[in-house]
Amino acid sequence: TGVIHLLAISGLHIGIIGTMGALLGWIISRPFTRGRSVWVANLTPHISAASAAIGYGEIVNWPVSAQRAVCMLIAASVTMILQRQVNPWQILGTAIVAVFLSDPSQLASLGFLLSFSAVVALIGWMPLWSKYMSDRHTWWVRWISNSVGTTMCASFGTLPICAWVFQQLPIAAPMANLLAVP
């Protein structure tokens, strides 16, 4: 059905853990929002998010999808701390280099191919998908549209690899994901 990715430790899981860490860091940093220590308030949520993500990566023994997600989270945090524009392609490139430097053999692994192809598809196609959903729609219509778009983009991004490796196409995957992911 194409929903096995829900069991893979990837961007979804790292994102949830990182968000929880950032929220905790934000709560802790509230006393520092005034005066000369405002930089502490700006830095703490990023450090907390990265620490939580790294800790989770350690717990799950660093599968390549977790390596990618943690590298992307850290690269995006550093970019925001430096008050630069976050470019998802550069963030993804940084993650590719980091995964390659940590273990060059990962580039040929199925986890690497599936993880990075899904993210390439999301970065490349989601802006096109979202462009057709205007702000005049209610938030829940936009949420459903983005959920469908995310599922479709990731599914189509991994489709060639799934066809090549597994010699079959998970035709039910988009519908199964729409039901299983939420």
Side-chain angles (χ1 to χ4, degrees):
T1 60
V3 294
I4 192 68
H5 67 88
L6 293 173
L7 299 177
I9 305 302
S10 61
L12 176 66
H13 302 97
I14 298 296
I16 290 169
I17 297 297
T19 300
M20 290 172 20
L23 179 61
L24 179 63
W26 181 83
I27 291 168
I28 291 170
S29 70
R30 292 307 82 200
F32 302 105
T33 57
R34 290 182 180 81
R36 289 185 229 183
S37 60
V38 72
W39 63 272
V40 173
N42 294 333
L43 192 61
T44 304
H46 293 287
I47 292 172
S48 298
S51 299
I54 290 168
Y56 190 65
E58 283 292 321
I59 290 170
V60 299
N61 203 25
W62 292 107
V64 71
S65 54
Q67 292 175 38
R68 176 202 46 80
V70 170
C71 288
M72 290 182 76
L73 183 145
I74 292 170
S77 285
V78 168
T79 303
M80 288 186 275
I81 289 167
L82 297 174
Q83 298 179 348
R84 302 283 190 242
Q85 180 69 33
V86 175
N87 181 321
W89 293 110
Q90 291 174 347
I91 301 295
L92 180 64
T94 301
I96 291 170
V97 170
V99 169
F100 174 74
L101 290 176
S102 72
D103 184 4
S105 68
Q106 288 290 352
L107 269 59
S109 74
L110 182 58
F112 179 90
L113 294 173
L114 289 171
S115 181
F116 280 91
S117 66
V119 174
V120 164
L122 289 169
I123 293 172
W125 293 336
M126 269 310 288
L128 298 173
W129 181 282
S130 298
K131 184 170 71 172
Y132 294 106
M133 187 55 56
S134 69
D135 289 337
R136 64 181 164 82
H137 291 95
T138 60
W139 68 268
W140 60 271
V141 170
R142 288 193 309 270
W143 182 81
I144 290 171
S145 173
N146 285 332
S147 296
V148 170
T150 301
T151 297
M152 298 300 287
C153 290
S155 294
F156 287 132
T158 58
L159 199 64
I161 296 164
C162 290
W164 173 50
V165 172
F166 303 116
Q167 301 295 305
Q168 62 183 359
L169 298 176
I171 295 170
M175 187 57 70
N177 276 282
L178 286 175
L179 297 172
V181 170

